[in-house]
Amino acid sequence: MKILAVTSCPTGIAHTYMAAEALQIAAKELGVDIKVETRGSVGAENEITNEDIKGAHAVILAVDTKVDEERFSGLPIVKASVKDAIKDAKGLIQRAMAMEKKEYVDKVFEAKKESKEKITGAYKHLMTGVSYMIPFVVAGGILIALSFMFGIKAFEEKGTLAAALMDIGGGGAFSLMVPILAGFIAFSIADRPGLVPGMVGGVLAGKLGAGFLGGIIAGFAAGYVVAWLKKVIKLPKTMEGLMPVLILPLLSTLIVGLGMIYIIGGPVAAINNAMANWLKNMSGGSAITLGIILGLMMAFDMGGPVNKAAYTFAVSTLAAGQPSMIMAAVMAAGMTPPLGVALATLIAKDKFTEEEREAGKAAFFLGISFITEGAIPFAAADPFRIIPSIMVGSAVTAALSMAFKCTLAVPHGGIFVLPIPNAVGGLFLYTIAIIIGTLVTGFMISALKPKR
Amino acid sequence: MDIKMMFSKERVSFDLKARTKEEAIDELIEMLYKDGKLKDKESFKRAVLKREEEFSTGIGMGIAIPHGKDSSVVEPCITFGVSKNGIDFDSMDGKPAHIFFLISVPEDAADTHLHILSFISRKLMHEDVRQKLFNAKDFEDVINAFN
């Protein structure tokens, strides 16, 4: 009979290891095979593998910190504190031994689940990054929206509350969004050493204008670079202490940073220029075609380089407060992505996690405020279904806005500008265009997303 | 594994005067401070007491391992003390603690040090190691208890 155990305490200096040793001593006395994973300040050691879980009878969690229980799903779990393990390790092991092993049918089901999890390993890393990013998007987005409530340009006045809110939301929370996404993707792949190159790569993605898609690339690159470095660098025992504090962070950050600047940075800049020129040439052609293209661009990377190109182009058409059809189409197309995902979380509840459904409510608020970033957590978690859906919705909205000849005289503001006199030309039809785009995106996501 | 690097003759007392938990912690911190391994007594004491609040580090069997992670610590080390009369340390088994290991760790400790601390923590769970510690008469005995 084999028992697994995880020990972990808040400081991770002493109790984690005492509990582990106590369990090992008790197991020896009882003649039970045990494997104890310690999660202390050095990180996870003697890690439990899927192989271990398959062959185990039960698992003891002697922890005073939060540990991932999901990976043991299927195994009976004995929950305890490190204190319990130090005081009465024997009792814990006996309790674990007395646990009922799951039925055969369950095991088959678990095996299936496991193979599915293996395929979607990258998906797991992505989701880790996304779940850490969501609160940043929500907090930052709502603070920016609050700033707009004082007036669309209120934040430009230095020293006002509106300026402070914009600083906190935009300069603070939003600027951390991509670094956090990239950092925790890398963290999920390579544990603690992944965080540094991931976050630095994320910051560079932002600086280079590569947006959240650049951040995802940075995160995965950082994670796998660290994992690779860990494998290839062999140090004498006495120097091992240098690995986590000096060697891994330094080398991985250097590699990821250079990669971002020289491999990702160049093409991104070239694409940005090419798009700007191309849009300039397009503006002579059919208004509806231009609307479709701008809509697709606005939704493609939500605040990334493609989106920025479309937005900057639109702002440039706002010559001295002159209302612009292009500006109207672009703002509408930037509102529907978060609105569409928010709608999808309502009509297809069972296809989203609890966390995502909550984020959906925030996304609605961000959508009406023309903060396209509100859809990023959803797009990052499931890019191949979400991004096409929001692109189609935004294209429809922008094309309709052009067809209806709606105009906009301000560069930002979402629904807060709608009541301002003369800000929007063709208000009713403009609203219709936004609603239709939202419906398109919402229903398309609902149809494409698989059941969980 | 070089356990010796965590201990020092300057940080060992076989006759703690303290009568209460807090006095014991103070007395151990004083030794640590005098040995130059601590920049700020108060700051480190706060870290230790904060840890005690979570649950007592009196692990029972007569042993207590108060510890703290704080930027005031110069380098990871252990201060060792014995109380002949025993001190009530809110231990898990309710019995007084006689043997004290005050573990001090800076915020950015290297893994080598943390590995040694985890090794020592593990050793304390062994009956024979504890027996040797209870019988220790001098610094060498303490070190040898772990070998």
Side-chain angles (χ1 to χ4, degrees):
Chain A
M1 189 182 281
K2 185 173 179 177
I3 303 284
L4 302 176
V6 179
T7 63
S8 177
C9 64
T11 28
I13 291 171
H15 285 73
T16 301
Y17 304 99
M18 290 194 295
E21 192 72 13
L23 286 167
Q24 276 162 346
I25 294 171
K28 207 171 166 193
E29 278 176 33
L30 293 167
V32 182
D33 200 11
I34 196 167
K35 175 165 179 177
V36 187
E37 175 179 307
T38 52
R39 302 187 76 87
S41 48
V42 204
E45 286 174 289
N46 197 23
E47 272 186 86
I48 290 170
T49 63
N50 277 344
E51 281 304 300
D52 293 326
I53 294 172
K54 221 184 281 172
H57 178 80
V59 57
I60 299 169
L61 297 182
V63 297
D64 294 325
T65 59
K66 225 177 147 282
V67 299
D68 175 22
E69 280 174 34
E70 215 150 82
R71 61 181 169 142
F72 302 116
S73 65
L75 274 187
I77 296 179
V78 177
K79 278 194 206 177
S81 70
V82 287
K83 235 180 353 186
D84 299 328
I86 294 170
K87 208 155 85 179
D88 185 19
K90 240 184 201 170
L92 281 184
I93 290 176
Q94 280 161 343
R95 258 169 68 199
M97 286 162 70
M99 286 278 186
E100 288 281 333
K101 183 101 196 187
K102 286 281 172 89
E103 297 294 320
Y104 176 74
V105 182
D106 280 357
K107 292 212 77 178
V108 176
F109 179 72
E110 277 156 27
K112 255 190 189 163
K113 194 179 156 202
E114 190 188 10
S115 65
K116 203 171 157 194
E117 265 167 16
K118 258 184 202 150
I119 302 165
T120 53
Y123 176 69
K124 200 188 90 189
H125 304 317
L126 202 52
M127 282 309 285
T128 304
V130 169
S131 72
Y132 279 95
M133 175 181 62
I134 286 175
F136 286 84
V137 180
V138 173
I142 290 176
L143 289 170
I144 293 173
L146 286 177
S147 160
F148 287 144
M149 283 181 171
F150 291 93
I152 300 314
K153 288 185 173 175
F155 70 89
E156 288 172 6
E157 191 98 2
K158 283 216 176 77
T160 58
L161 180 60
L165 289 170
M166 179 59 84
D167 236 15
I168 301 166
F174 261 33
S175 66
L176 281 170
M177 189 168 82
V178 175
I180 290 288
L181 172 67
F184 281 93
I185 289 173
F187 178 80
S188 172
I189 298 169
D191 244 350
R192 220 161 48 166
L195 204 52
V196 181
M199 289 194 72
V200 173
V203 170
L204 290 172
K207 276 197 178 156
L208 296 166
F212 87 98
L213 293 175
I216 291 178
I217 295 173
F220 277 104
Y224 291 123
V225 162
V226 171
W228 171 73
L229 287 174
K230 267 188 193 166
K231 213 183 286 169
V232 295
I233 300 179
K234 293 273 175 282
L235 286 180
K237 266 256 177 263
T238 49
M239 309 253 292
E240 256 175 16
L242 291 177
M243 273 296 267
V245 287
L246 175 68
I247 295 171
L248 283 180
L250 177 66
L251 286 182
S252 60
T253 306
L254 178 71
I255 295 171
V256 173
L258 289 176
M260 288 303 289
I261 291 172
Y262 289 107
I263 302 173
I264 307 289
V268 167
I271 291 170
N272 285 349
N273 282 334
M275 278 188 305
N277 288 331
W278 179 61
L279 282 176
K280 232 177 259 165
N281 295 334
M282 281 296 300
S283 50
S286 145
I288 292 178
T289 316
L290 182 60
I292 291 173
I293 290 167
L294 287 171
L296 293 173
M297 290 174 71
M298 283 302 288
F300 173 67
D301 57 357
M302 292 154 284
V306 180
N307 163 294
K308 283 271 145 57
Y311 181 72
T312 319
F313 170 68
V315 173
S316 73
T317 65
L318 274 183
Q322 204 62 344
S324 149
M325 275 170 59
I326 291 170
M327 189 67 240
V330 160
M331 185 166 95
M335 291 170 70
T336 55
L339 291 175
V341 293
L343 179 65
T345 61
L346 289 179
I347 50 185
K349 281 198 177 80
D350 51 339
K351 297 181 176 179
F352 292 91
T353 64
E354 180 85 45
E355 199 181 11
E356 282 175 323
R357 287 201 298 275
E358 287 306 313
K361 289 174 195 157
F364 170 77
F365 194 59
L366 301 182
I368 61 173
S369 313
F370 181 35
I371 297 169
T372 320
E373 283 88 339
I376 288 184
F378 296 88
D382 190 4
F384 300 112
R385 295 195 185 87
I386 302 286
I387 294 181
S389 307
I390 59 181
M391 284 173 74
V392 172
S394 291
V396 169
T397 297
L400 286 174
S401 172
M402 291 295 243
F404 295 155
K405 296 197 166 38
C406 303
T407 60
L408 187 64
V410 290
H412 212 295
I415 63 161
F416 301 108
V417 299
L418 303 188
I420 299 173
N422 302 326
V424 184
L427 183 55
F428 176 70
L429 287 174
Y430 192 53
T431 315
I432 297 288
I434 294 172
I435 291 173
I436 292 177
T438 303
L439 291 173
V440 168
T441 295
F443 280 102
M444 193 163 156
I445 293 173
S446 309
L448 289 179
K449 268 241 170 205
K451 283 225 157 56
R452 295 185 65 238
Chain B
M1 185 95 42
D2 192 7
I3 297 159
K4 234 177 174 164
M5 65 189 277
M6 300 305 275
F7 290 95
S8 157
K9 273 185 181 148
E10 305 302 315
R11 297 193 306 275
V12 171
S13 163
F14 287 91
D15 187 19
L16 290 180
K17 301 282 181 287
R19 288 168 180 280
T20 66
K21 181 169 176 174
E22 192 167 347
E23 281 173 20
I25 291 171
D26 280 334
E27 198 172 347
L28 292 164
I29 289 180
E30 191 60 39
M31 272 194 275
L32 180 65
Y33 182 72
K34 277 193 179 145
D35 194 35
K37 301 293 181 201
L38 194 59
K39 284 178 281 190
D40 183 347
K41 280 192 276 190
E42 283 308 310
S43 169
F44 180 62
K45 185 179 170 185
R46 272 197 299 276
V48 172
L49 292 180
K50 194 167 163 252
R51 172 62 193 81
E52 291 299 321
E53 271 170 26
E54 283 171 27
F55 59 85
S56 171
T57 58
I59 57 169
M61 305 164 285
I63 294 182
I65 47 154
H67 54 274
K69 197 173 186 179
D70 193 66
S71 53
S72 61
V73 176
V74 176
E75 62 181 37
C77 58
I78 294 177
T79 306
F80 178 82
V82 177
S83 165
K84 294 211 171 85
N85 297 324
I87 295 166
D88 176 10
F89 215 81
D90 310 321
S91 292
M92 288 182 196
D93 57 3
K95 289 181 187 144
H98 290 270
I99 293 184
F100 298 85
F101 292 87
L102 175 71
I103 305 176
S104 40
V105 179
E107 288 291 350
D108 54 349
D111 282 3
T112 28
H113 291 120
L114 297 172
H115 276 298
I116 297 176
L117 288 174
S118 70
F119 174 79
I120 291 172
S121 304
R122 280 174 179 273
K123 281 284 181 187
L124 289 178
M125 300 314 292
H126 291 264
E127 174 71 43
D128 54 326
V129 175
R130 290 199 297 270
Q131 232 8 279
K132 282 185 202 160
L133 285 170
F134 279 113
N135 296 332
K137 298 271 179 302
D138 56 28
F139 181 68
E140 289 305 317
D141 287 350
V142 174
I143 300 296
N144 288 333
F146 289 103
N147 291 334

